[in-house]
Amino acid sequence: MKHLSLTICSAAILLFSCNDTDKTSSDTTATDTTKMSSQSATTEAASVTPIPDSVKNRNWMDYMTPGEMHKMMATWDGTWEGETTMWEKPGGAPQTSKGVAINKMAMGGRYQVSTHKGMMMGQPFEGMSILAYDNATKKFKSSWIDNMGTGLIMMEGPWDGTTKTLSLSGKCVDPMMGNGKEMEIREVFRVVDDKNQVVEMYGPGPDGKEFKMMEIKMMKKS
């Protein structure tokens, strides 16, 4: 340890001596580099075409104005009854439960807020989600919270108008592992018709391979 300390001290002294000897040369080089960087920044700034305020305002209006996707979301408003089937592992015994979800558009038809209540694993369950269609990214985005955890799940993905399917992907913590590590999950939301929807959740099984963890059949009541 003593030999290592001496070696480090010697190296530090040598480095300081070299820096002191070359100080004048380094200062000159630094000054030249600063001038070159400044000139380069000025040239780049001059080459950028500014966006007119009228265009900025139009872009913002396009971003904030609800469109066809938001109108579609509004048709999902109402009270839905759900039958949930869950699997802890591939081929495992299914666990079933029932619940109710109430969907309602918010903030001038820009977002859909859903509240969920039911029973899960023998105890009262409640959750809430916010679904958005981002006009800028052309993707759906969703957030989810419930009383079975303290985290926030964020997912996003595209809508397929041909199959009437929304494919979302994201990450969440597996609370049973106790290590705080996130796992990849995805959700497939399919509109069967005006009164029926199906939600499927997928995640990694014990072997790391993806399997269907949950399926919810939603039926509109009002």
Side-chain angles (χ1 to χ4, degrees):
M1 179 64 73
K2 184 176 180 180
H3 176 71
L4 178 60
S5 300
L6 290 174
T7 301
I8 295 175
C9 290
S10 299
I13 293 172
L14 178 61
L15 180 60
F16 179 81
S17 300
C18 291
N19 287 340
D20 189 60
T21 302
D22 296 339
K23 187 175 186 303
T24 302
S25 176
S26 298
D27 289 345
T28 302
T29 302
T31 301
D32 292 341
T33 303
T34 301
K35 288 181 179 179
M36 292 175 64
S37 298
S38 178
Q39 292 173 353
S40 177
T42 302
T43 302
E44 290 180 2
S47 65
V48 175
T49 303
I51 301 176
D53 289 341
S54 59
V55 176
K56 290 181 180 179
N57 292 336
R58 186 172 67 249
N59 290 341
W60 196 345
M61 286 298 296
D62 290 343
Y63 180 61
M64 68 178 286
T65 304
E68 293 303 315
M69 293 293 100
H70 302 89
K71 293 178 182 178
M72 179 180 67
M73 289 166 57
T75 65
W76 304 337
D77 274 5
T79 300
W80 297 73
E81 291 184 354
E83 295 181 355
T84 301
T85 304
M86 299 178 62
W87 297 268
E88 290 187 6
K89 59 183 179 179
Q95 300 180 34
T96 60
S97 61
K98 293 186 177 182
V100 176
I102 299 176
N103 301 337
K104 186 177 181 179
M105 295 299 287
M107 296 189 180
R110 292 173 175 83
Y111 308 94
Q112 187 172 71
V113 179
S114 301
T115 55
H116 302 253
K117 289 186 177 181
M119 297 293 293
M120 184 173 291
M121 293 186 290
Q123 58 183 314
F125 172 82
E126 60 178 314
M128 184 175 74
S129 67
I130 297 178
L131 181 65
Y133 178 77
D134 192 320
N135 285 339
T137 63
K138 309 301 181 187
K139 289 183 179 181
F140 276 90
K141 298 182 179 181
S142 73
S143 63
W144 172 266
I145 57 174
D146 59 46
N147 65 336
M148 302 294 284
T150 53
L152 175 68
I153 299 176
M154 302 291 294
M155 305 181 78
E156 67 173 42
W159 168 260
D160 186 334
T162 303
T163 60
K164 295 184 178 181
T165 300
L166 175 59
S167 301
L168 302 171
S169 60
K171 295 181 179 181
C172 74
V173 171
D174 183 350
M176 291 185 289
M177 295 301 294
N179 54 18
K181 291 185 178 180
E182 294 184 314
M183 60 180 182
E184 299 282 347
I185 58 172
R186 68 183 181 93
E187 174 186 321
V188 178
F189 166 76
R190 181 167 55 88
V191 176
V192 179
D193 53 41
D194 292 343
K195 293 186 177 295
N196 292 275
Q197 300 174 349
V198 177
V199 179
E200 297 175 339
M201 291 292 298
Y202 296 85
D207 58 357
K209 295 181 180 180
E210 183 186 78
F211 81 108
K212 184 164 72 173
M213 301 185 297
M214 181 173 61
E215 179 181 89
I216 309 174
K217 294 181 179 179
M218 307 292 294
M219 294 150 284
K220 192 172 186 177
K221 295 302 177 182
S222 62

